[in-house]
Amino acid sequence: MNTQADTASTGKVAFRMEGRIAVLEIDNPPVNAGSHAVREGLVAGIEKATEAGAEGAILLGAGRSFIAGSDLREFNKALAWPELPDVIKVIEDAPFPVVAALHGVALGGGLELALGCDYRLAAPDTMVGLPEVSLGMIPGAGGTQRLPRLIGRSKAMDLICRAARIPAREALPLGLVDALSEGDLLKDARAFLAAKPRPKRLSRDLMPPEESDEALEAAAASALKRGKGRPNVVEAIRLVRASVEDAGAVLLDERETFQQLRRSPEAHALRALFFAERRAGSVAGVDPKSARAVKRVGVIGGGTMGQGIARAFLAAGLPVVLMERDAAALERALAALRASFEAQVAKGRLGADAAQARSAALGGTVEAGALAGCDLVIEAVFEDMEVKKDVLARLEAVLPPDAIIATNTSYLDIDEMAAGLAHPERVLGLHFFSPADIMPLLEVVRARKTAPEVLATGLKLARKLGKQPVVARVAEGFIGNRIYAAYRRRAELLVLDGAAPEQVDAAVTGFGFAMGPFAVADMSGLDIAWAMRKRQAATRDAKARYVTIPDRLCEAGRLGRKTGAGWYDHASGKAQPDPAVAAIIAEEREKAGVTPRDFSAEEIQHQLMAAIVNEAALLLEEGVAERASDVDVALANGYGFPRWRGGPLHWAAQRAPDALQADLDALARAVGHGHRAGPVARVLGELETGNEG
């Protein structure tokens, strides 16, 4: 038979016979999402292969990947036949072996489809994983049953509950893939089938390998702790445990559980956040293709933030030149960076060769002229306008015209910072969050004169660094810190009015935040916000309510963990409520004429959320954020907001309007003189629902 005969298109799947082998090529750009049309095409393709008397079939993806996951836009409505389990049943019922040939990514439903095939071949760098838990669901097409049969229940629990993605070269020794293809993937898959392997149906022919009860309990406890006991994590653990039972019954249980979870408020919130994160990297009128190449980076300032930024660039494969004010400071910073690479090697987080490569790509200087070969230079010096202006002026004098100048400022006005430059259009903000090499959020700040191609470069660089970009305009604190300042002020007012710091923190972590505001203040240092308040003192409205308690703490030398005391006593190594703080709070309440009252945890939560939502509405009205959903992205990725709630604006949009308005009214009364009410209802009306892609 001619190898190109019997070629046909079945929707998003191209079918052809190559000799006695059927090839089904999935073509649903840009990432081959597993849509209904793809599922229909796969069923039709297997049926055609059966009718043609095929001796084997190969599934592969066109373009960038095998299948990057299911089309999440379908998940807010009823799924039409064939659903993915229906496709897999057709594959398992086929009278010939089916090989999944993987490249790019095979995630979620894409990997479940591959697990439903008899064998899996993969290019070495193919990323495979089941990320459904990160979207509030579980694998719903056999992932909790077929994966344990290949790699064992403990390892399957870990991979599923971590929503881990691993390269095929790591999946091979686990048994998740059968072979790697170093060359022509289709040719290697044909050669594999030529060996005439018998069909190997995972749910019929294999059982999970034996494991001790102790190993299973340890894996389950670890997964549950990491997943913070969320309902979908509990269900994933239960179903993986049950993979030693009757496959047919447990597969039905898995599918029913998946269907319930995908319709849950939590899954809806996480899908909304998923789409919001995808949108956040784009800006109307800015062409991504206009981005400039960044091949070498300069970092000015070797303190904690500068070192973190340098590590982030080095991890992305970019050579870095670090500049410090003198030779001694430079040597300390370089030594600290190299020591951090060695520590990562010791912990097994970095290979020795990779650590050596990063050290070799790291250079240092005390002369601005040495930065002339950099495509982008970012300053991370002291948060002082005059200091930063001087740094930018010196950079403009030595950098070539097309090099980008970036600032890591957290609060300062970048327009003012760049005003004295001959070419302010090449200046933008790249606001990293500490630790800069770990925290996912990167605020890309568009100054008044930032050129579109410079902004495009910042967004492209964020993706290269593995960061989640959010675009902001110039404003006090940009998006995240401005909202956080309003949140912190409301928390301090709650303490002034009667709540204890530890009560506020407990309510916040009970809501799902990683940490409470006072624990965060102690970790980051109370002097940071103190410096901001002193800078704003001259313009502060004297009639506005002002909480003096944190100033008193700073004046007493209580700057947080670094001094052993802040809002809490840290002498024991663990944060403990401190009678000295309680005494200061009582004194300041008396001075302010406040009669303290009790607050419930729910009231604290709703008041803090009202402060966040109101400030978000204000900054959106002012055009500081590009779109409402960007606020949710910023808070979820940079400030510990619980992802499973979808972001503060998504959360607010789910509340009854009357209840939300009551919280906003209570916020206005508590803040008092000077309070500005944001257009919350309008902003929530403009918020994307999560159905779109």
Side-chain angles (χ1 to χ4, degrees):
M1 178 182 287
N2 187 296
T3 59
Q4 297 303 318
D6 295 338
T7 300
S9 175
T10 50
K12 296 291 185 178
V13 179
F15 171 87
R16 65 181 182 271
M17 292 295 298
E18 296 189 359
R20 305 304 302 171
I21 302 300
V23 178
L24 282 67
E25 188 168 15
I26 302 155
D27 190 6
N28 186 25
V31 294
N32 280 346
S35 65
H36 179 247
V38 168
R39 297 193 299 272
E40 282 188 319
L42 289 169
V43 169
I46 293 295
E47 290 174 348
K48 281 178 176 289
T50 303
E51 292 168 2
E55 296 177 356
I58 299 169
L59 308 189
L60 77 161
R64 290 158 47 182
S65 64
F66 179 68
I67 291 182
S70 297
D71 188 342
L72 294 180
R73 292 171 296 185
E74 297 180 355
F75 277 30
N76 288 332
K77 53 191 176 184
L79 297 177
W81 190 94
E83 297 182 35
L84 188 53
D86 301 317
V87 177
I88 292 172
K89 184 178 188 306
V90 169
I91 290 172
E92 288 191 323
D93 289 344
F96 44 74
V98 181
V99 174
L102 314 178
H103 79 287
V105 295
L107 300 174
L111 182 56
E112 287 186 290
L113 175 66
L115 291 171
C117 297
D118 300 287
Y119 299 95
R120 287 147 296 284
L121 272 66
D125 293 331
T126 306
M127 297 300 293
V128 298
L130 296 171
E132 287 86 352
V133 163
S134 68
L135 291 167
M137 302 177 289
I138 59 164
T144 68
Q145 301 307 297
R146 295 185 177 93
L147 186 62
R149 284 169 160 77
L150 287 176
I151 70 173
R153 287 186 288 171
S154 294
K155 290 176 182 174
M157 260 184 220
D158 175 61
L159 289 181
I160 290 171
C161 294
R162 277 197 297 125
R165 303 180 182 198
I166 61 173
R169 59 170 58 90
E170 290 182 24
L172 179 66
L174 292 177
L176 179 49
V177 299
D178 296 287
L180 298 182
S181 170
E182 301 283 355
D184 186 317
L185 186 58
L186 179 57
K187 181 179 178 181
D188 289 346
R190 284 182 56 84
F192 189 91
L193 281 173
K196 300 190 183 301
R198 68 178 180 84
K200 184 176 69 174
R201 314 307 198 196
L202 294 185
S203 60
R204 300 176 188 175
D205 300 344
L206 293 180
M207 288 294 286
E210 291 288 336
E211 294 184 68
S212 69
D213 291 341
E214 292 78 13
L216 282 172
E217 289 301 326
S222 176
L224 197 61
K225 181 179 179 181
R226 188 185 301 109
K228 299 181 180 180
R230 301 309 307 162
N232 61 322
V233 176
V234 173
E235 291 296 333
I237 292 169
R238 177 182 70 81
L239 288 160
V240 170
R241 282 182 179 275
S243 60
V244 293
E245 300 172 13
D246 176 67
V250 185
L251 283 168
L252 290 174
D253 184 358
E254 178 200 65
R255 191 63 182 177
E256 182 179 348
T257 303
F258 164 78
Q259 297 283 29
Q260 291 171 351
L261 288 169
R262 79 171 173 87
R263 292 189 291 263
S264 69
E266 185 166 321
H268 178 76
L270 286 162
R271 286 196 295 275
L273 189 57
F274 170 86
F275 288 121
E277 288 172 340
R278 195 159 71 176
R279 283 189 298 268
S282 63
V283 177
V286 175
D287 183 359
K289 295 178 182 177
S290 69
R292 299 174 184 172
V294 176
K295 298 179 180 178
R296 187 177 182 83
V297 175
V299 177
I300 302 181
T304 300
M305 180 58 79
Q307 289 179 33
I309 293 171
R311 283 195 298 270
F313 285 127
L314 290 165
L318 290 169
V320 171
V321 180
L322 181 68
M323 180 178 168
E324 259 291 1
R325 62 185 180 278
D326 56 51
L330 177 63
E331 186 50 44
R332 285 195 298 272
L334 293 175
L337 281 166
R338 292 178 182 124
S340 71
F341 302 149
E342 293 170 4
Q344 286 179 287
V345 172
K347 294 175 182 176
R349 297 175 182 169
L350 188 66
D353 290 345
Q356 186 176 3
R358 292 181 193 183
S359 291
L362 173 64
T365 185
V366 295
E367 300 292 339
L371 301 172
C374 295
D375 304 299
L376 179 146
V377 177
I378 180 170
E379 67 78 17
V381 300
F382 187 66
E383 193 80 344
D384 178 272
M385 179 61 78
E386 295 309 313
V387 172
K388 290 182 182 287
K389 280 183 176 180
D390 178 66
V391 168
L392 266 59
R394 285 192 288 153
L395 284 175
E396 186 171 60
V398 300
L399 292 178
D402 58 346
I404 293 172
I405 299 174
T407 171
N408 183 58
T409 184
S410 302
Y411 289 97
L412 299 181
D413 186 334
I414 301 176
D415 291 326
E416 180 184 347
M417 201 182 297
L421 300 181
H423 296 286
E425 69 276 3
R426 61 165 160 171
V427 176
L428 85 163
L430 292 177
H431 180 211
F432 288 82
F433 290 74
S434 187
D437 54 327
I438 295 173
M439 290 293 288
L441 181 63
L442 179 61
E443 280 185 319
V444 181
V445 186
R446 184 181 197 175
R448 187 180 300 118
K449 295 188 177 180
T450 301
E453 64 270 19
V454 171
L455 181 62
T457 305
L459 291 168
K460 182 178 179 181
L461 184 62
R463 290 187 287 271
K464 184 174 179 65
L465 297 177
K467 302 294 185 186
Q468 172 61 61
V470 172
V471 176
R473 293 280 187 175
V474 173
E476 177 79 25
F478 311 122
I479 297 172
N481 279 346
R482 173 167 166 179
I483 291 174
Y484 194 84
Y487 162 79
R488 184 179 58 238
R489 284 195 299 272
R490 186 66 189 100
E492 291 167 356
L493 281 170
L494 283 165
V495 169
L496 181 64
D497 288 338
E502 59 272 20
Q503 182 190 5
V504 174
D505 280 354
V508 168
T509 55
F511 184 82
F513 275 86
M515 296 175 69
F518 300 111
V520 169
D522 275 8
M523 181 180 69
S524 59
L526 274 67
D527 50 328
I528 297 174
W530 191 30
M532 181 185 70
R533 291 193 299 274
K534 288 189 288 187
R535 177 166 53 82
Q536 296 172 337
T539 57
R540 185 181 301 123
D541 187 341
K543 295 180 181 179
R545 292 190 79 192
Y546 179 74
V547 181
T548 55
I549 297 166
D551 294 347
R552 286 280 308 274
L553 296 176
C554 291
E555 289 162 1
R558 302 179 66 101
L559 304 182
R561 289 185 188 178
K562 59 189 174 186
T563 60
W567 287 96
Y568 297 97
D569 179 3
H570 298 275
S572 66
K574 183 179 179 181
Q576 298 287 350
D578 193 332
V581 174
I584 290 173
I585 291 170
E587 290 172 10
E588 295 307 307
R589 285 173 180 164
E590 186 174 354
K591 287 181 186 177
V594 170
T595 301
R597 73 174 185 86
D598 293 333
F599 291 90
S600 68
E602 184 179 72
E603 188 177 3
I604 291 170
Q605 292 166 353
H606 287 180
Q607 276 301 283
L608 292 174
M609 287 301 300
I612 289 173
V613 170
N614 186 71
E615 197 66 27
L618 288 171
L619 68 84
L620 283 160
E621 183 180 42
E622 296 164 20
V624 178
E626 188 76 9
R627 54 183 73 84
S629 60
D630 286 357
V631 170
D632 287 343
V633 173
L635 272 289
N637 285 277
Y639 294 86
F641 188 91
R643 292 184 64 84
W644 53 273
R645 291 190 185 273
L649 294 181
H650 179 89
W651 174 85
Q654 312 312 307
R655 295 206 68 210
D658 290 349
L660 180 61
Q661 188 58 52
D663 292 338
L664 293 168
D665 292 342
L667 171 70
R669 290 192 297 272
V671 173
H673 177 80
H675 174 74
R676 292 171 56 210
V680 172
R682 177 171 64 78
V683 164
L684 296 183
E686 295 170 355
L687 187 67
E688 297 85 349
T689 65
N691 288 307
E692 63 286 301

